[in-house]
Amino acid sequence: MSTPRTLAEKVWADHIVVEGEQQGDVQTPDLLYIDLHMVHEVTSPQAFEGLRLSGRPVRRPDLTIGVEDHNVPTMNINEMIAEPTSRKQVDALRDNAEEFGIRLHSLGDAEQGIVHVVGPQLGLTQPGTTVVCGDSHTSTHGAFGALAFGIGTSEVEHVLATQTLPMTPFKTMAINVDGTLKPGVSSKDIILAVIAKIGTGGGQGYVLEYRGEAIEALSMEARMTICNMSIEAGARAGMIAPDEITFEYLKGRPHAPEGQDWDDAVEYWRSLRTDDGATFDAEITIDANTLEPFVTWGTNPGQGVFLSDSIPMPESFDDPADKDAAERALEYMALEGGTPMKEIPVDTVFLGSCTNARIEDLRMAAAVIQGREKAEDVRMMVVPGSMQVRLQAEEEGLDKIFKDFGADWRFAGCSMCLGMNPDQLAPGERAASTSNRNFEGRQGKGARTHLVSPVVAAATAVRGTLSSPSDLGMTDYIVAPN
Amino acid sequence: MSLEKVVTHTGVGVPLRESNVDTDQIIPAHFLKRITKTGFEDALFSRWRTDEDFILNKEPYSSGTVLVTGPDFGTGSSREHAVWALRDYGFKAVISARFGDIFRSNAGKQGLVAAQVEQSDVELIWKELENNPGAEVTVDLENRLIECGSISTRFQIDDYTRWRLMEGLDDIGLTLRSADAIDEFEKTRPAIKPTTLPAKLSEV
Ligand code: SF4
């Protein structure tokens, strides 16, 4: 009998082109084949430049796809991009796509959107594939049982030229999430709790596999939210075993297999689950029954607490480095230890990003605000993750709910998730944001970010202070029903 | 294309007493709009450099080439610009107790040594560099050794990266030596796997 293997080990093994070997005292890495390479305007120009300089073609344009997402505006998209440096980058991508024969979904195209929303939506992200992109949140695609990770620009060039990457095997960590989520608690709260537990460096060197009852109960959208933020736990990749929910999501998508191919694919996909008796290098367990809506108070995603709690006192940290980090964070955030989270007022609510701007996220938020009024001084921006999400939302009438509420209804892009397009926070402005990073200056110079789930974002827009749906009297509210 | 070989480097050490220095701090996002691969020296730690007390604004640290920093350096986004900014500023090595995975891998590709040591060693080197501003740090890849004043400690770096740095080898060139194996692999790749072309679109 063969040795029991984990999901990650199976996918890895199926992609080894050249196995690493001991050469003297050097262990060479494995050369891995890459099934899908996604590029965007920010991390690709220098890679294409490198190809041109060395006279190399793109080896597999048919395994490559480009989108414009990071620095594009989310309004007036039919006008020329106003900001010259952004325009230059987008133009460079368009020129490169044309020169090297790569499929590109540009601003205004019905398939345009954030790279990690577009891949799954087109059915290009499939179980058992290797997926890379010059973007750390490529981990999102692991929700399908793909081995997906972010790469740097030199690696982008490497994949363009060779369709492979030399990689040293990861270690594996099981994240068991048992139990059932309470009403109003979502997958965003699971991953924030995981990060608070293992720390922002806890996953370094590992592929995380999320498993257990609470994970199996989640929709694909909710699973993507979890895998997306694996990088915030320090891990380059996160994975979830493909199951009926995965197959259901994929069936009928533009690039999903059809007919006999579909049956063959499903059979292969089923074989990918971690074998009974396989061992992980590390393992942690989280009890979903005990989770509550989670929100960050500091400037890294590990600095979070339950929304019902207060900001911790810096003195309460045992580790002096953690205490210093807390002090620095609180100074930047203009907050004090001991303040109840629910008393913190925000200026802006941002519902968007590759973490939480899929159709289900928009539905959940819309359900919370429907029939309610927005807090007067709060600005709310809703930025669908892709044009398809936007179109779907409009078909369902969600856009009306947002607009009636007084929210800004935008076109697709990374938007306020990072300060490199027109959607930015002003210095000192405070946001409840469904994105993934609360780093200093991430959403604009001097901007202050609290990471939250879509339903917390929506409830916060109603009350004006960090809030959960239960603060609005919603008690039987179930998040992410399948 | 090949890189400059790095075997050993000696230069002024810069004690950066910060942990969790993510790539957004190393280089803020708006610098990512450039489409060149060099000239990022002005972007390094740009937000912090507006503070005149920031270490790189002080002599003799401003001409430093070895950055000695707290744990979890280079976490966050995949931007290789973080490495380019350090490289363009003149840094040849970064010493920390823990690095972000993607940062570490990017560093190795640009000839920047990411040397991992215990935090207790970082503390010792910090003290030395603060007590003797301008003190030099030697990073000896051959022997995996860091030396600074009377401190001498071994550092960790994976064998393969070390070898490539010492040989100045370009990754793509190395991989293309296996072009035949890639051709073979592609022949056996199952036909059910997706391709992006011909493009199929969502039904609207
Ligand atoms: S939405 Fe944010 S995290 Fe996601 S790809 Fe865009 S910038 Fe990166």
Side-chain angles (χ1 to χ4, degrees), chain A residues 347-365:
Chain A
D347 307 299
T348 294
V349 171
F350 171 58
L351 177 59
S353 90
C354 60
T355 313
N356 279 128
R358 297 182 178 80
I359 187 68
E360 182 184 284
D361 300 309
L362 268 49
R363 284 183 195 138
M364 289 192 289

Side-chain angles (χ1 to χ4, degrees), chain A residues 139-378:
Chain A
S139 58
T140 312
H141 306 260
F144 291 79
L147 181 63
F149 47 88
I151 56 180
T153 299
S154 292
E155 288 169 316
V156 171
E157 183 181 339
H158 195 285
V159 177
L160 288 171
T162 71
Q163 205 57 35
T164 63
L165 267 184
M167 299 285 295
T168 309
F170 298 108
K171 291 180 286 180
T172 56
M173 185 188 295
I175 312 259
N176 303 304
V177 190
D178 301 332
T180 318
L181 289 176
K182 284 189 285 211
V185 185
S186 68
S187 67
K188 181 72 162 275
D189 305 312
I190 296 182
I191 186 63
L192 285 171
V194 168
I195 298 165
K197 179 159 177 154
I198 70 175
T200 51
Q204 272 169 32
Y206 290 94
V207 175
L208 311 181
E209 184 182 332
Y210 306 96
R211 51 213 308 255
E213 205 184 332
I215 301 293
E216 282 165 24
L218 296 173
S219 67
M220 282 319 294
E221 277 95 340
R223 292 180 188 182
M224 284 189 253
T225 303
I226 294 194
C227 288
N228 174 275
M229 290 191 69
S230 302
I231 184 79
E232 272 64 52
R236 219 163 155 179
M239 298 176 89
I240 294 174
D243 61 8
E244 296 308 319
I245 293 174
T246 321
F247 309 151
E248 185 60 31
Y249 177 97
L250 277 169
K251 187 137 204 182
R253 301 248 161 212
H255 285 275
E258 291 172 73
Q260 185 60 44
D261 282 353
W262 172 262
D263 296 338
D264 294 348
V266 170
E267 194 189 323
Y268 170 61
W269 296 344
R270 282 191 208 283
S271 73
L272 295 168
R273 295 188 74 86
T274 293
D275 297 324
D276 291 338
T279 47
F280 290 89
D281 297 304
E283 195 149 358
I284 67 155
T285 299
I286 291 217
D287 180 1
N289 299 303
T290 62
L291 294 182
E292 290 179 33
F294 219 88
V295 38
T296 60
W297 49 266
T299 54
N300 75 55
Q303 292 173 322
V305 289
F306 286 152
L307 179 56
S308 55
D309 282 344
S310 299
I311 300 174
M313 306 300 284
E315 305 81 73
S316 67
F317 293 96
D318 298 334
D319 184 333
D322 289 344
K323 178 173 166 277
D324 284 357
E327 277 170 356
R328 194 177 100 200
L330 289 179
E331 193 187 325
Y332 180 84
M333 294 293 287
L335 292 171
E336 271 174 39
T339 311
M341 292 307 295
K342 287 191 183 177
E343 286 178 11
I344 300 175
V346 306
D347 307 299
T348 294
V349 171
F350 171 58
L351 177 59
S353 90
C354 60
T355 313
N356 279 128
R358 297 182 178 80
I359 187 68
E360 182 184 284
D361 300 309
L362 268 49
R363 284 183 195 138
M364 289 192 289
V368 174
I369 61 167
Q370 187 161 30
R372 295 191 161 83
E373 271 185 41
K374 184 170 70 61
E376 213 170 307
D377 300 331
V378 172

Side-chain angles (χ1 to χ4, degrees), chain A residues 109-130:
Chain A
D109 179 313
E111 303 286 356
Q112 179 265 345
I114 306 171
V115 61
H116 312 308
V117 179
V118 171
Q121 185 175 276
L122 282 170
L124 283 168
T125 304
Q126 294 181 13
T129 55
T130 45

